[in-house]
Amino acid sequence: MLKGISQLKLFNLRPGLIIILLLVLLSTCVEPFEPEDPGFKSVLVVDGFISNSAEPYTITLSRTAPLSSPGALPEAGAAVSVADEEGGVYLFGETAPGVYQSDPRVFVGHVGAGYQLNIVTASGEQYQSDTVPLKQSPPIDSVYYERELRLTDVEGEVNDGISIFVDAHDSTGQTRFYRYDYTETYEVKLTYPGEWVYDPSQDANVIRNPKLGLCYATHPGGNILVANTSSYAEDRVKKLEVTYVSTGGYKLSGLYSILVKQYALSEPSYRYWYELQKTSESLGTLFDPQPYEIRGNIRKVNDPETAVLGYFDAGAVSEKMLFVDKVTLLGMDIQYPTDPCIARLGYPPTAVEFGLYQQWGYLITAVEPYVMIPAECGDCRYHGTLEKPAFWPR
């Protein structure tokens, strides 16, 4: 058994003090505000995109839900297809409720062709998109970063980090309207990996297998990024900020990567995404302009005035990946804040009382005095996965 660790000491509050604390808490209760939802009507929401890549294309269908509902409702059981201008029709199979995918062995988009989305819901309602062109996307010239200090939104403190930018141009001047998204992948490197665990069958501390000090996390970007060069003589996107990455947290704790994708848009598609970008950037307080209904390019066949949200689009995709190493950033004198686990436990950490922390179960020492740490500090799986991405360079 684990020995040499003192038991947790318990402290009692006087009954009178407990009553006073309860009265204070009750007196500060605020009745929750529940906004009214008069005359709610569920609306179909469509999200779909096809490219010239030989991969499954996804069409997502859902229904808006009342404010009291936890989220959108999937539109299951629909018949979904995409038609080209030459009469070809390509079916999308339902892979999950409200999620429909194509078969890349049967359908791959072609640059210069036009495509139209057709939907028949389980209740027999028919919807159809405008025909959208699959435009060519010029190559991305570069993805790069610069050091930048920024104030936090809440505390007003200064963060150190990097701004990531993208440059691109079309020498033919045929693109003009661009959209970008990105995916971040990074190492999660722990200061105090919980390398030891108590094994009751052996009555001993044994090394963990697998080790829990290095994981990998992948997250899609949440920003809507569009660019318009139609008012310029040259069709060039210059130093468009993709995202800002702070040295706080784990993103820059080891090796960081970002995959930036570029889409060439038609002008109607650009207007849709631009309006959506403006709405998404709202602070979202009661005193802000309330989001208005942004109509896309999808209509109900027998009733074009029926509201339908979302957009069906097509386009070729260009992409470029950037890697950023912590070693390089330290060479630029970029400052890192104190690791939250170091701030909490000290460095090096001291032995803790077993009665308080036995639920943690992560040992970083195998002999007395035992040092235990919370799971989020000792187990990288709380922040990512042990599986290394296939493209990871080290």
Side-chain angles (χ1 to χ4, degrees):
M1 296 179 61
L2 296 176
K3 301 177 182 178
I5 305 179
S6 61
Q7 297 300 309
L8 174 66
K9 297 179 181 178
L10 300 177
F11 298 89
N12 293 321
L13 290 174
R14 291 178 295 165
L17 182 56
I18 293 176
I19 293 174
I20 293 173
L21 289 174
L22 288 173
L23 289 173
V24 171
L25 289 173
L26 289 173
S27 67
T28 58
C29 289
V30 178
E31 184 177 348
F33 169 71
E34 296 184 2
E36 295 182 0
D37 192 16
F40 171 79
K41 186 176 181 180
S42 183
V43 173
L44 181 67
V45 182
V46 181
D47 179 31
F49 178 83
I50 64 173
S51 71
N52 61 338
S53 300
E55 60 186 15
Y57 308 134
T58 301
I59 307 294
T60 303
L61 305 181
S62 60
R63 291 272 178 179
T64 56
L67 293 174
S68 57
S69 176
L73 306 173
E75 181 74 11
V80 177
S81 63
V82 169
D84 61 27
E85 294 174 306
E86 297 180 355
V89 177
Y90 308 97
L91 302 179
F92 283 56
E94 188 168 15
T95 58
V99 179
Y100 303 84
Q101 287 191 327
S102 64
D103 184 344
R105 297 169 298 180
V106 176
F107 174 46
V108 176
H110 296 282
V111 171
Y115 296 95
Q116 184 181 59
L117 174 66
N118 294 279
I119 302 166
V120 181
T121 67
S123 61
E125 296 177 324
Q126 298 183 42
Y127 298 85
Q128 196 172 70
S129 75
D130 297 336
T131 299
V132 296
L134 200 160
K135 294 182 63 176
Q136 181 63 273
S137 175
I140 295 176
D141 292 333
S142 61
V143 177
Y144 55 98
Y145 66 91
E146 295 178 1
R147 180 188 182 182
E148 185 173 345
L149 299 175
R150 286 195 178 179
L151 292 175
T152 61
D153 291 337
V154 180
E155 301 296 335
E157 299 176 352
V158 176
N159 279 341
D160 208 343
I162 56 173
S163 293
I164 297 176
F165 302 98
V166 61
D167 289 352
H169 80 284
D170 181 359
S171 58
T172 68
Q174 299 300 308
T175 303
R176 295 298 179 182
F177 304 102
Y178 300 79
R179 180 171 70 88
Y180 296 88
D181 63 28
Y182 62 93
T183 301
E184 298 172 293
T185 301
Y186 53 91
E187 295 175 344
V188 177
K189 302 184 78 170
L190 300 184
T191 305
Y192 302 132
E195 296 183 344
W196 300 87
V197 63
Y198 175 70
D199 183 358
S201 66
Q202 302 182 48
D203 193 23
N205 295 320
V206 297
I207 194 76
R208 282 186 184 274
N209 185 23
K211 295 184 177 181
L212 305 178
L214 175 62
C215 283
Y216 305 87
T218 298
H219 301 289
N223 304 338
I224 297 174
L225 302 169
V226 293
N228 176 3
T229 67
S230 61
S231 60
Y232 301 103
E234 191 175 18
D235 190 357
R236 181 178 297 274
V237 176
K238 183 67 175 177
K239 205 172 184 179
L240 176 68
E241 182 176 288
V242 178
T243 188
Y244 176 78
V245 187
S246 166
T247 52
Y250 289 108
K251 286 187 178 181
L252 299 179
S253 67
L255 185 62
Y256 167 91
S257 77
I258 183 169
L259 176 65
V260 179
K261 292 186 176 183
Q262 174 182 274
Y263 308 88
L265 303 179
S266 63
E267 186 172 355
S269 175
Y270 168 78
R271 288 198 301 266
Y272 170 81
W273 285 106
Y274 177 70
E275 293 299 325
L276 203 61
Q277 180 187 51
K278 289 196 301 182
T279 301
S280 69
E281 289 174 349
S282 169
L283 293 177
T285 69
L286 290 175
F287 304 101
D288 286 328
Q290 294 304 299
Y292 52 90
E293 185 180 283
I294 302 175
R295 292 290 188 99
N297 63 346
I298 302 164
R299 304 288 182 269
K300 190 173 183 180
V301 173
N302 296 327
D303 185 6
E305 298 304 315
T306 296
V308 184
L309 302 181
Y311 205 90
F312 171 68
D313 211 352
V317 182
S318 302
E319 59 184 43
K320 190 175 284 289
M321 180 173 284
L322 170 71
F323 286 95
V324 182
D325 197 343
K326 181 179 180 180
V327 175
T328 303
L329 298 181
L330 291 174
M332 298 168 58
D333 199 31
I334 288 183
Q335 302 299 306
Y336 281 74
T338 301
D339 185 310
C341 290
I342 292 179
R344 181 175 178 181
L345 302 171
Y347 187 82
T350 57
V352 297
E353 297 185 63
F354 182 61
L356 179 60
Y357 296 132
Q358 62 180 335
Q359 71 272 24
W360 289 354
Y362 292 88
L363 288 162
I364 61 173
T365 59
V367 297
E368 298 181 25
Y370 300 107
V371 179
M372 304 187 74
I373 55 175
E376 63 269 21
C377 294
D379 189 341
C380 66
R381 294 174 299 181
Y382 274 71
H383 311 282
T385 175
L386 292 170
E387 183 177 358
K388 181 167 66 173
F391 63 86
W392 211 246
R394 67 183 187 189

